[in-house]
Amino acid sequence: MDQQPEWWTLERSAARAWPAAHTEERDGWLLRHTPSVPRRRINSALPLHGSSPSIEAVESYYRALGRAVTVQVSPSDTYTELDAELAARGYHRDAPTLILTAPASGFDDEGAAERVGDRARWPEVFAALDDRAATLEVILRIPEPVALFAATVGGETAGMGVFAVDGGYAGVFCMVTHPRHRRAGIASAVLAAGAAWAGGQGARRLYLQVEEDNPPARALYARAGFTVSHGYHYRVLPGM
């Protein structure tokens, strides 16, 4: 069997770590649908590695659900023909994003972030930093092993991050720093604590997603040792 490219391993890991309510493989696609959460990643179709995805099939699937037809073109430089055909059909391009990876080892232990072990406490952490109920709904569905790390300064929740291990990879999600505590090493502390935990769970590498037009976040992750694996964007058919 041919070895799968790393980008496909990462995309499959991310799909499991950020779970849609309904997922199936059909007609060359990984089809994802989550009625209660209006997030692109879990309401979009991802081309299956080595397949010839049918645009007619994906349009039929999402139209039957009454949802916008959304395709995650990933990697962008692999599916150039698919991307061009979607553009010709009137799909608009949205949210260009980079997938970054780094070794799980080698982070400096900042000692300022701790694991929130009880999932029943996660909502209160999110309430302090990210009050989007839809995000929390997805986070609480992530399969084990998963951990939330938070940093506290003066009794206030200053930052957090979620780490989900799948095989030799750990996805990093929901990295947030409170505005009052930015540029104080909070994100670095959360990354270090989460990476140490993920390594103990068997993860060799971390990965995360950052939108291309977010220079501060990209600079932070570059300093932490993350490099680009690949990029993707969405194609969305208007009118639904």
Side-chain angles (χ1 to χ4, degrees):
M1 180 182 295
D2 293 337
Q3 184 175 5
Q4 293 183 342
E6 184 183 49
W7 65 260
W8 179 239
T9 302
L10 289 171
E11 289 295 351
R12 291 304 297 259
S13 178
R16 289 187 290 263
W18 193 260
H22 306 284
T23 303
E24 63 178 288
E25 296 183 10
R26 190 193 340 170
D27 301 309
W29 300 100
L30 176 65
L31 300 167
R32 297 169 292 190
H33 173 47
T34 307
S36 59
V37 181
R39 300 291 291 272
R40 283 181 297 249
R41 175 170 279 274
I42 50 177
N43 288 287
S44 61
L46 177 71
L48 295 172
H49 171 56
S51 70
S52 298
S54 165
I55 295 177
E56 289 76 12
V58 78
E59 290 180 348
S60 176
Y61 177 80
Y62 285 106
R63 283 171 174 163
L65 293 169
R67 303 299 294 265
V69 186
T70 305
V71 174
Q72 182 188 345
V73 183
S74 182
S76 301
D77 58 3
T78 296
Y79 289 101
T80 54
E81 292 184 8
L82 172 63
D83 190 48
E85 186 171 354
L86 292 169
R89 287 172 175 250
Y91 286 69
H92 66 79
R93 189 174 186 268
D94 196 18
T97 301
L98 299 174
I99 303 293
L100 310 180
T101 66
S105 60
F107 286 83
D108 293 332
D109 185 3
E110 305 282 344
E114 297 183 353
R115 183 182 178 189
V116 183
D118 184 359
R119 279 208 189 194
R121 290 185 52 218
W122 290 16
E124 69 183 65
V125 176
F126 269 76
L129 297 169
D130 184 343
D131 61 359
R132 293 172 296 180
T135 299
L136 182 59
E137 178 182 330
V138 177
I139 291 298
L140 293 176
R141 283 207 309 266
I142 295 177
E144 298 286 349
V146 59
L148 170 66
F149 283 84
T152 302
V153 176
E156 179 180 53
T157 303
M160 70 174 184
V162 174
F163 298 76
V165 174
D166 180 80
Y169 292 88
V172 183
F173 303 98
C174 299
M175 286 287 296
V176 182
T177 300
H178 194 286
R180 283 194 291 273
H181 299 285
R182 288 175 182 163
R183 299 180 179 84
I186 297 299
S188 297
V190 171
L191 278 172
W197 172 84
Q201 298 294 316
R204 298 181 301 277
R205 295 189 69 78
L206 307 180
Y207 68 88
L208 54 82
Q209 297 129 0
V210 59
E211 292 198 1
E212 287 186 7
D213 63 354
N214 189 346
R218 291 177 61 179
L220 165 69
Y221 297 132
R223 290 194 299 271
F226 283 84
T227 58
V228 176
S229 165
H230 62 282
Y232 70 83
H233 57 268
Y234 294 95
R235 284 286 181 182
V236 183
L237 185 63
M240 292 297 292

